[in-house]
């Protein structure tokens, strides 16, 4: 059996029964979890990816508590939640994975108290594990130039791929935002695109320079060629696969890796291009608040991580300019 780099979650007897189609009836805690997920989806507008992550975390949490005999929210104590966190630590989960699971649990119990479905919030005083500072991967400006100025295939797919890479780096889009773009979101004459980001929040992102030119060239004819392969029409998606359907995130990941490898950048990820966009914008003097708006960050502290990436350049400028350096 082929090995995988993903960590396999331990399967509880309860989860094992569910996998065999012999699932036990849902506990009150699991029923409450379903209500919470509906709340996040309908009332809070969380993305499907976030909901899926919370669903997995709360399913694991519910199974863990059921095996401890805790089937109602008010049965759960702080010690139970600390045991849940400890189990994940010993299971080899990353800090980010544990933090996300505990965030889901905290939000869940807070929701139950607010809705009157529980009397206590046992997770309120449980502290999130300290997260190690991780600076995003970036490529250099020279590497970005090599990536985007390489010779792309003289095909419809080649024009599409060039436009995708230009927009990931030139607009700082998340891969889900790029694949979700529709034709009516692109305002070429006005040089911007309208993007739907996290929490279904819309924002306007500048579309200028080579990113604008690459998208215009793709929309001029290559997209129509790809659309001709679709059965029953291609729909409104901007970026199409070779069968005329909306391109997937997985396909964008694969083409980033492929074109990166052509110019000597191994393991290039779409998010690396977004990080590189932000870093290079700051290095060029962009205002942090403007960058926050372009990236679609709800909190300025999320954008501020990019200010840590240019320490070497700052030191060089200091050494060259300060009279006492």
């Amino acid at each position: 059996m082929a090995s995988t780099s993903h960590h396999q979650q331990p399967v509880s007897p309860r989860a094992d029964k569910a996998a065999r189609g012999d699932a036990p009836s849902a506990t009150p805690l699991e029923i409450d979890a379903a209500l919470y997920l509906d709340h996040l989806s309908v009332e809070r507008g969380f993305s499907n990816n976030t909901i899926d992550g919370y669903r997995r975390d709360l399913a694991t949490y519910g199974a863990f508590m059921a095996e401890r005999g805790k089937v109602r929210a008010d049965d759960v104590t702080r010690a139970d939640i600390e045991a849940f966190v400890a189990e994940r630590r010993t299971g080899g989960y990353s800090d980010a994975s544990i933090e996300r699971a505990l965030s889901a649990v905290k939000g869940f119990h807070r929701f139950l108290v607010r809705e009157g479905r529980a009397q206590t919030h046992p997770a309120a005083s449980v502290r999130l594990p300290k997260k190690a500072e991780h600076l995003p991967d970036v490529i250099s400006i020279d590497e970005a130039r090599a990536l985007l100025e390489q010779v792309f295939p003289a095909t419809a797919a080649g024009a599409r791929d060039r436009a995708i890479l230009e927009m990931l780096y030139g607009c700082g889009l998340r891969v889900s935002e790029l694949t979700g773009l529709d034709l009516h979101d692109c305002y070429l004459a006005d040089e911007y695109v309208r993007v739907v980001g996290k929490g279904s929040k819309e924002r306007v992102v500048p579309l200028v320079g080579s990113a604008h030119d690459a998208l215009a060239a793709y929309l001029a004819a290559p997209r129509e060629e790809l659309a001709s392969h679709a059965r029953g029409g291609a729909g409104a998606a901007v970026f199409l696969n070779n069968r005329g359907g909306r391109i997937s995130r997985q396909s964008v990941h694969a083409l980033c890796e492929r074109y990166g490898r052509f110019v000597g950048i191994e393991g290039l990820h779409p998010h690396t291009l977004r990080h590189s966009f932000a870093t290079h914008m700051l290095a060029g003097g962009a205002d942090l608040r403007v960058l926050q708006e372009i990236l679609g960050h709800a909190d300025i502290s999320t954008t501020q991580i990019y200010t840590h990436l240019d320490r070497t350049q700052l030191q060089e400028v200091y050494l060259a300019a300060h009279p006492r350096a």
Side-chain angles (χ1 to χ4, degrees), residues 293-308:
E293 183 70 23
I294 293 174
L295 292 171
H297 288 159
D299 191 334
I300 190 69
S301 64
T302 308
T303 317
Q304 282 173 329
I305 189 170
Y306 297 109
T307 64
H308 300 305

Side-chain angles (χ1 to χ4, degrees), residues 44-315:
R44 299 286 301 280
F46 280 32
S47 71
N48 290 337
N49 289 338
T50 302
I51 297 292
D52 288 344
Y54 273 39
R55 180 178 289 110
R56 288 191 295 271
D57 289 332
L58 291 175
T60 304
Y61 175 69
F64 178 86
M65 292 304 165
E67 288 174 7
R68 292 171 73 90
K70 307 299 177 77
V71 297
R72 291 177 179 79
D74 281 331
D75 295 338
V76 179
T77 66
R78 173 177 172 163
D80 292 320
I81 294 175
E82 288 176 337
F84 172 68
V85 172
E87 187 209 43
R88 295 185 80 79
R89 279 193 181 285
T90 57
Y93 293 91
S94 68
D95 287 348
S97 174
I98 296 169
E99 180 177 2
R100 189 194 66 193
L102 187 52
S103 292
V105 169
K106 280 175 170 280
F108 171 50
H109 281 285
R110 186 167 55 246
F111 166 79
L112 295 182
V113 171
R114 190 173 63 244
E115 296 294 311
R117 299 184 67 84
Q119 299 298 312
T120 60
H121 182 355
S125 59
V126 178
R127 297 180 62 183
L128 289 168
K130 187 173 182 181
K131 190 175 178 181
E133 182 182 18
H134 174 68
L135 297 180
D137 293 328
V138 297
I139 59 175
S140 69
I141 292 176
D142 286 341
E143 286 174 322
R145 185 178 295 113
L147 175 72
L148 299 172
E149 292 181 359
Q150 67 180 289
V151 178
F152 288 85
T155 61
R160 175 203 61 203
D161 296 349
R162 176 171 173 255
I164 284 174
L165 292 173
E166 285 279 8
M167 290 189 70
L168 287 172
Y169 175 71
C171 303
L173 301 184
R174 299 178 178 96
V175 66
S176 59
E177 295 169 349
L178 178 124
T179 58
L181 278 177
D182 287 335
L183 292 172
H184 59 77
D185 296 320
C186 301
Y187 297 82
L188 291 176
D190 297 317
E191 298 189 323
Y192 74 87
V193 290
R194 185 177 59 199
V195 175
V196 179
K198 289 187 175 180
S200 300
K201 293 179 180 177
E202 286 191 3
R203 70 183 190 278
V204 169
V205 176
L207 176 69
V208 295
S210 58
H212 174 280
D213 295 345
L215 180 62
Y218 164 67
L219 292 178
R223 183 194 175 277
E224 187 175 342
E225 182 180 333
L226 292 173
S228 70
H229 302 155
R231 294 179 180 177
V238 170
F239 291 109
L240 304 177
N241 59 32
N242 294 341
R243 298 180 304 280
R246 187 183 296 273
I247 199 167
S248 68
R249 291 180 300 160
Q250 291 81 3
S251 294
V252 175
H253 282 238
L255 75 86
C256 283
E257 284 200 17
R258 185 170 71 254
Y259 285 103
R261 195 161 53 246
F262 289 159
V263 294
I265 307 170
E266 291 297 328
L268 182 65
H269 191 279
H271 224 59
T272 303
L273 294 177
R274 174 172 160 88
H275 294 320
S276 301
F277 160 82
T279 305
H280 300 164
M281 285 283 286
L282 275 180
D287 180 82
L288 199 61
R289 290 286 180 185
V290 172
L291 190 58
Q292 177 192 6
E293 183 70 23
I294 293 174
L295 292 171
H297 288 159
D299 191 334
I300 190 69
S301 64
T302 308
T303 317
Q304 282 173 329
I305 189 170
Y306 297 109
T307 64
H308 300 305
L309 295 172
D310 225 27
R311 286 173 180 154
T312 302
Q313 183 183 10
L314 289 175
Q315 286 173 337

Side-chain angles (χ1 to χ4, degrees), residues 19-53:
R20 297 198 309 268
D22 185 27
S25 58
T27 67
L29 197 65
E30 290 166 337
I31 292 171
D32 284 340
L35 291 174
Y36 176 55
L37 292 170
D38 284 343
H39 163 76
L40 294 181
S41 175
V42 176
E43 297 184 33
R44 299 286 301 280
F46 280 32
S47 71
N48 290 337
N49 289 338
T50 302
I51 297 292
D52 288 344

